[in-house]
Amino acid sequence: MLEIFGVGNHSAAITPEEAEQLAGKPEALAERVYGLGNPKKAKELGNLVAQPDLAEDSRYMLAIAAEEWNEKGCNDCADQDDIVKVTKAINGGKIRLKERREWL
């Protein structure tokens, strides 16, 4: 959890103490990372706020991902195989960069 959402890795900046409290509570973690527990990210995402469960609906997943990709200007970075810039644009940090490089 700290590797992905911890201080210096994500805008949620979860502390070790918070991680202990959030462990085993996926709904609370999601709220803390993407919802009102992280106002910056909640505002940034800004879509489906009234019905966040729709983001898990396969009818909307691709549209949400494509909108995020376009809004963040990822095409130019991807065309240059600049995985660091794409990762930072989407996640705000270098989360799981090693695995992303392997996939690329």
Side-chain angles (χ1 to χ4, degrees):
M1 185 185 314
L2 292 175
E3 181 181 331
I4 296 172
F5 302 119
V7 176
N9 294 327
H10 191 274
S11 64
I14 291 177
T15 64
E17 295 79 21
E18 285 182 293
E20 285 183 33
Q21 294 173 357
L22 295 168
K25 301 175 185 172
E27 292 85 6
L29 176 62
E31 180 62 30
R32 173 62 179 84
V33 172
Y34 301 112
L36 298 179
N38 184 356
K40 179 181 175 185
K41 183 57 87 174
K43 182 178 180 183
E44 178 185 319
L45 294 174
N47 52 11
L48 300 173
V49 172
Q51 296 175 297
D53 290 342
L54 290 179
E56 296 178 356
D57 187 318
S58 61
R59 295 174 295 172
Y60 302 103
M61 287 178 181
L62 183 58
I64 292 168
E67 182 177 335
E68 180 84 0
W69 182 268
N70 288 330
E71 285 181 8
K72 303 285 183 166
C74 293
N75 270 343
D76 291 337
C77 301
D79 288 344
Q80 298 167 18
D81 286 339
D82 193 334
I83 197 162
V84 174
K85 284 186 181 176
V86 171
T87 301
K88 283 185 174 183
I90 297 298
N91 293 317
K94 297 179 184 176
I95 298 167
R96 302 187 69 125
L97 190 56
K98 180 182 176 188
E99 291 91 344
R100 292 171 191 266
R101 282 198 170 115
E102 289 172 6
W103 295 333
L104 178 64

